[in-house]
Amino acid sequence: MKQYMYRILVVLGLAVWLVSCTGTETLIDDDPGNIPEESTPNGTGNIFSLAMRIPLPKDYMDTKAYNGVDRGSISEILIDGIRMVLYESKVVKYCLDLDIQVQPENSGFKITGGDLYNWATDGNRIFIQTTARTFERGNYDMLVVINPNDSIEAKTEVGQAFTALDAAFNTAGMYRSRTVSGGEGTYEEPAYFLMMNSQNLVELVPGHFYATKEKAVNSPAFINLERVAAKVTCDYKGGTSTKSTAVAPYGRFVMLLDYNNQLAAPWGDDYDIPEDCIDCPVQGCNGKFNRKTKQCSAKPYLHTYDGLGLVSDRVRYMVATDLTWEVDVINKKSYWLRHLTYKAGGTEMEEQGHIDREYFYAEDPNFSALSGTGETNLKNNFRYISNSNELIPGASGSTAKKLYPQLSGYKYYNYWSWKQGDTQPVYIPENTMTQNEQKKDVVTRVIFRAVLKREQFDMSETEENPTLPLKSVEGFFVFKGGNTDIENYKYNNYNKDNTTFFILRPEDVAIYASATTTEHIHIYLRDGILEAINQFKVDNPGFNFSDWKNEEPAQSANLSFYKNGEIYYEVPIEHFSVSEAQGVGKYGRFGVVRNNWYKLNIENMISIGAPVLPEPKSEFIEDATRSAVPETKSNANILIRNQSIIF
């Protein structure tokens, strides 16, 4: 998918079944087996059994032993508390804390408890059924809460009104954590996730209550559960066609060296031979130029690179490495139960019993009228990344995750500062908005940080697998202008929308900044460079071009200064694809809905990114060029929303 963006989140897990806090029932059968099919309730007694359905990604479920579970999935299904609440006339009549647990065991899990009657799985879901118990026969509305926190427990005690659930809760209580030891050491990971009804309260009628325990467990009432949290993961997988600039693959960018007067050029031999100019052009010579020595390998011929004349320019290659990511604009408020709203397209309202989950959206407490309301109000409702250090793993207060490329034929693994990326997902609360609120200051996004480093070559004739570490890049300028004819000026870098830019040395820009004419400015850059520099001076007064090493990153419309090779990308999380939303910028294009897994995959790195952490402004997101290829769907009840990213 050639989309700008993302991938997103599924939640794994199990739910549990309900047991009373006032006593236990005798198990009829403690051997896990098949759960009865849902049937029309026709009971004539007062005995009731419940069966819960909890979605699982099919990829992770082979057998009841839960073979092949990926990291984190066991924690996502753990249960140490279940509350069943029965409302009569919208007031709690029964509140039962059930004795059912799902706990880790070796590489899998175990399900136990005095209120457990049976459990099974069909590969997509786990079913957990309670023992049968006696109630007063009647009409009820049922709520099930898995891993309840103190707040929801207080709101569901006997005598509490259903309206107590209308209040938004602090999303910090969506899960707890557990200590895990593995190949990456000992760490804390989210676990014991809050789970609740997937839609509204479930209606129980007198027919759900049977005359005997046997009939009750053979005809349980069913309920669908879902996690209140969503999940986000990121990868850098790309493909065999992964490109960055017009001539450089795999996240490589071209820096154009100096001005047109080559005799006065100060770079000496500190430049690279473009890959398309390796072959010696001298008639009758079949040699190749060494990228380090700039000499032809053929005998008896020996040519300097200058023998190529004006075939190409002096360039340097830089590679984007050390990618990290963090989620930004995180909702601080959520409803206990998902508030149903219009589905994809914005014309049909979701109702209880609808099963086309890939088209569901939600309404959260911050659904409208938040964008542009001021820093104080926004920070009361959302958590923002406040400092670029939060994108640096190991920095104080940072929870940033390290990526590692999984590219086919990628030759720059050894240029990265780490040899293994982080595998932990990030769990975040629901965050949705009206169509006219799809703006950068309220839409959940992922911020990526990369570090450009200078490519090097050894003495070999061809350099398929560079072994030398990349040189650090102290600083550079990006100029959005110059000659835009990529065919003739191929050392332009180009954005995903086919606009072009040049990466320039600060030393060269310092020379240009003092120029009054374009005489010695590189011919590729003459169109607009002086105008861009003048505007940069207006926007960044006091910037010292000659002392750029002591300057901070700075931006202007067509010229920006980058420090220490650092570049930043923002990726708003998409919910519906363009086709599902029925157009660019339409209802539901962006947002995060509970119990969805948003999976982001970086395919191409073309655009250079921003020199500083992108500001979450009150401006619409959907003005960038994107592909309208639909997302890949999962046939499981937990939705996996894949978003491919082109920077």
Side-chain angles (χ1 to χ4, degrees), residues 129-196:
Q129 185 178 353
T130 64
T131 57
R133 64 177 57 254
T134 301
F135 293 89
E136 181 179 343
R137 182 180 174 86
N139 291 287
Y140 301 99
D141 292 303
M142 179 173 62
L143 171 72
V144 173
V145 184
I146 305 288
N147 298 318
N149 54 35
D150 292 344
S151 182
I152 189 66
E153 287 184 344
K155 296 179 183 299
T156 54
E157 296 290 343
V158 173
Q160 287 287 323
F162 173 67
T163 53
L165 297 182
D166 288 338
F169 76 96
N170 185 332
T171 57
M174 297 187 306
Y175 53 78
R176 304 195 300 277
S177 63
R178 72 175 183 128
T179 302
V180 178
S181 297
E184 299 176 36
T186 300
Y187 52 89
E188 297 292 313
E189 74 175 11
Y192 301 101
F193 286 80
L194 178 68
M195 306 180 215
M196 304 182 70

Side-chain angles (χ1 to χ4, degrees), residues 358-598:
E358 66 268 29
Y359 300 109
F360 290 178
Y361 202 53
E363 181 176 334
D364 74 1
N366 299 326
F367 197 61
S368 63
L370 262 294
S371 179
T373 57
E375 181 179 358
T376 299
N377 189 44
L378 288 170
K379 287 186 175 180
N380 286 335
N381 289 280
F382 301 98
R383 181 167 63 83
Y384 298 89
I385 296 175
S386 60
N387 190 293
S388 59
N389 285 339
E390 294 184 45
L391 275 296
I392 303 176
S396 179
S398 173
T399 57
K401 304 294 188 293
K402 296 181 290 188
L403 289 180
Y404 198 67
Q406 305 297 317
L407 305 178
S408 177
Y410 186 71
K411 62 181 182 181
Y412 298 103
Y413 292 110
N414 59 309
Y415 289 161
W416 289 54
S417 300
W418 47 81
K419 300 303 180 185
Q420 185 175 353
D422 293 319
T423 60
Q424 306 97 317
V426 173
Y427 301 93
I428 57 176
E430 195 164 66
N431 182 27
T432 56
M433 64 288 306
T434 60
Q435 181 177 341
N436 62 5
E437 284 279 289
Q438 296 182 135
K439 298 181 179 181
K440 294 182 177 181
D441 57 347
V442 298
V443 171
T444 299
R445 64 180 182 172
V446 175
I447 301 294
F448 291 88
R449 175 185 182 267
V451 179
L452 286 189
K453 300 176 185 176
R454 164 78 195 284
E455 189 176 7
Q456 295 186 87
F457 306 100
D458 64 16
M459 301 299 289
S460 62
E461 295 179 4
T462 61
E463 189 55 37
E464 296 296 332
N465 294 291
T467 58
L468 298 175
L470 295 183
K471 294 180 180 178
S472 60
V473 177
E474 293 183 298
F476 59 90
F477 281 88
V478 171
F479 168 48
K480 298 178 182 178
N483 192 294
T484 60
D485 186 343
I486 297 178
E487 182 65 28
N488 294 323
Y489 298 91
K490 63 179 63 181
Y491 304 120
N492 274 350
N493 300 272
Y494 66 94
N495 293 300
K496 60 182 182 292
D497 60 359
N498 287 326
T499 60
T500 62
F501 62 95
F502 286 95
I503 299 177
L504 307 174
R505 296 192 316 164
E507 297 91 336
D508 296 337
V509 177
I511 296 173
Y512 302 154
S514 62
T516 57
T517 72
T518 60
E519 179 182 358
H520 294 299
I521 294 178
H522 201 294
I523 190 173
Y524 293 2
L525 311 175
R526 291 178 181 177
D527 185 9
I529 184 66
L530 295 185
E531 294 81 357
I533 290 173
N534 289 333
Q535 185 61 51
F536 182 91
K537 291 178 178 178
V538 172
D539 296 336
N540 302 278
F543 187 95
N544 190 336
F545 289 90
S546 299
D547 192 29
W548 57 267
K549 290 184 179 181
N550 292 316
E551 295 287 349
E552 293 300 315
Q555 299 184 85
S556 190
N558 293 312
L559 188 70
S560 296
F561 173 66
Y562 293 68
K563 194 70 173 290
N564 298 324
E566 297 175 359
I567 53 177
Y568 299 88
Y569 302 90
E570 60 177 335
V571 179
I573 293 180
E574 296 178 1
H575 186 72
F576 294 135
S577 67
V578 172
S579 63
E580 291 169 337
Q582 300 178 26
V584 171
K586 298 296 185 178
Y587 167 80
R589 277 285 291 127
F590 301 96
V592 173
V593 177
R594 66 185 67 189
N595 212 59
N596 279 250
W597 182 356
Y598 299 91

Side-chain angles (χ1 to χ4, degrees), residues 281-297:
V282 176
Q283 186 174 4
C285 182
N286 296 318
K288 297 181 181 295
F289 283 96
N290 185 286
R291 303 183 74 179
K292 180 74 174 180
T293 65
K294 314 299 187 290
Q295 294 181 329
C296 178
S297 63

Side-chain angles (χ1 to χ4, degrees), residues 17-20 82 84 96-100 115 130 133:
W17 286 120
L18 322 175
V19 210
S20 171
I82 298 177
M84 182 174 68
L96 306 175
D97 292 314
L98 306 178
D99 179 23
I100 298 176
D115 291 310
T130 64
R133 64 177 57 254

